[in-house]
Amino acid sequence: MSLPTKTPIRNVHMRALASVNDQLCLTLFMHEDVAARWQELATLRPTEFTSEVFPDNEFAERIHVPMTSLLSFRDAQLNTSLGVSFAFAVEQLLLFIEAVLRHWGDIAETPITLADPIDETLNQHLVTHTVPIEPLLLRTVKYLRLRRNHVIHGATELSSEYSKLLKHDAPGLQKFWEARSSIPGLIFGDKSPTTFSPSETITLVKLVRVCLEEIDTSVAGLLRPNWIFRSINAGLLKDRHELRVRNPVVVGRRIRKIKHHSGSMYGLHVQASDIASALGESLQ
């Protein structure tokens, strides 16, 4: 019997991250698409206002700036969009951590006390259960959370906690990630948390995805197969009344469904006899 390699919580948030990445790519595409045209217009008609240059655009009057100023507006808007993409990606990571901890507690039938910040709660539980997860990956989650806080609160000064992290952890984080992958644009020790470049933002979203996947794998390793079988079985018996019938044919059908769900949801490779034994069922 294999051990769990994932949880069903992962895909929900991976899909959300994929959506963030798609929107980020669209933002960058549109930014580049208009850059040359706006630069040409600013060169040809530098003092004319947007309402004159774009008379058919209903919002041109609202912004009402000269074309030379519109270029600066475009750059500021890009930075804001990149920051929002980053913050939303980190929010998905933090929501995932909370959800996967709750799932762990539900499967193990052991209440897990959650507290802010959620990544510190995760760290405490993983250390308690001696789960093999790289400490610098957990420090990366903290970096992402603290930087995201600066973005969503519009902070103009570094928080003491973020400053402390940059001082003590930035060199180690830089070395750790550069040894694992290419991280273009990302300098962990940079002291401008609300300023983003396209390459850096793409890298940050990638790091969020890697952190999510590796945390999910670590938490999955805490789930005993017998817990998973019992949880899936309870759900089937609750939702599928026809599976409650106590005869070998129906029991066999229920066991096969548990086997399928164990594989698709948790990456388990098991025999029907293992499931039957764990549940005290007979396939005869």
Side-chain angles (χ1 to χ4, degrees):
M1 183 190 306
S2 68
L3 295 176
T5 58
K6 61 181 180 178
T7 78
I9 307 301
R10 172 192 300 203
N11 285 346
V12 175
H13 297 277
M14 288 296 288
R15 285 193 292 269
L17 285 180
S19 178
V20 171
N21 187 69
D22 288 345
Q23 293 300 313
L24 171 60
C25 291
L26 178 61
T27 296
L28 295 173
F29 170 79
M30 292 191 297
H31 179 79
E32 287 300 310
D33 188 55
V34 303
R37 285 180 288 167
W38 284 15
Q39 183 63 61
E40 182 181 4
L41 288 170
T43 301
L44 295 174
R45 306 165 70 175
T47 61
E48 292 187 47
F49 282 77
T50 50
S51 54
E52 300 172 280
V53 179
F54 305 101
D56 298 326
N57 189 319
E58 62 178 306
F59 300 106
E61 186 65 39
R62 279 184 174 275
I63 191 168
H64 197 63
V65 294
M67 283 304 301
T68 49
S69 298
L70 189 62
L71 299 181
S72 298
F73 272 60
R74 181 176 59 85
D75 291 337
Q77 185 275 333
L78 176 64
N79 188 72
T80 299
S81 296
L82 296 178
V84 169
S85 294
F86 164 72
F88 191 82
V90 176
E91 190 68 20
Q92 284 301 315
L93 175 61
L94 300 178
L95 288 172
F96 159 77
I97 293 173
E98 179 177 345
V100 81
L101 284 173
R102 290 186 186 279
H103 186 70
W104 173 15
D106 290 343
I107 294 294
E109 298 182 350
T110 302
I112 291 181
T113 302
L114 302 178
D116 288 327
I118 194 64
D119 52 294
E120 295 294 344
T121 300
L122 172 69
N123 189 29
Q124 292 168 8
H125 281 287
L126 293 183
V127 169
T128 301
H129 289 77
T130 62
V131 175
I133 186 170
E134 170 58 56
L136 282 172
L137 187 130
L138 295 175
R139 300 301 288 175
T140 301
V141 176
K142 182 174 183 178
Y143 166 84
L144 294 169
R145 171 175 58 81
L146 293 176
R147 186 168 180 183
R148 163 256 194 191
N149 288 350
H150 283 74
V151 173
I152 64 175
H153 295 301
T156 56
E157 296 183 1
L158 300 184
S159 68
S160 58
E161 191 175 12
Y162 190 65
S163 295
K164 183 179 178 180
L165 183 143
L166 294 186
K167 179 179 179 180
H168 296 289
D169 294 328
L173 290 173
Q174 194 76 34
K175 184 178 180 180
F176 170 68
W177 285 106
E178 286 180 346
R180 291 188 56 163
S181 177
S182 173
I183 52 171
L186 178 57
I187 305 297
F188 280 97
D190 186 83
K191 296 183 179 180
S192 303
T194 59
T195 300
F196 297 88
S197 71
S199 59
E200 180 190 31
T201 310
I202 292 171
T203 295
L204 287 166
V205 173
K206 180 178 75 173
L207 294 196
V208 168
R209 185 177 67 251
V210 173
C211 288
L212 190 156
E213 289 175 334
E214 296 199 12
I215 290 169
D216 185 79
T217 299
S218 294
V219 173
L222 295 168
L223 305 179
R224 298 177 186 174
N226 288 359
W227 296 347
I228 294 171
F229 302 152
R230 289 199 296 266
S231 175
I232 296 174
N233 185 57
L236 289 173
L237 292 175
K238 178 183 177 182
D239 299 333
R240 303 284 297 274
H241 292 187
E242 73 276 12
L243 295 178
R244 298 177 183 177
V245 178
R246 306 290 299 180
N247 68 54
V249 173
V250 175
V251 169
R253 181 183 173 199
R254 176 158 46 88
I255 296 298
R256 288 193 297 274
K257 287 185 176 296
I258 294 171
K259 180 181 178 181
H260 170 74
H261 291 317
S262 296
S264 63
M265 295 166 64
Y266 297 93
L268 277 170
H269 299 286
V270 298
Q271 300 297 320
S273 57
D274 295 325
I275 299 172
S277 177
L279 299 178
E281 299 280 10
S282 174
L283 294 176
Q284 300 299 322

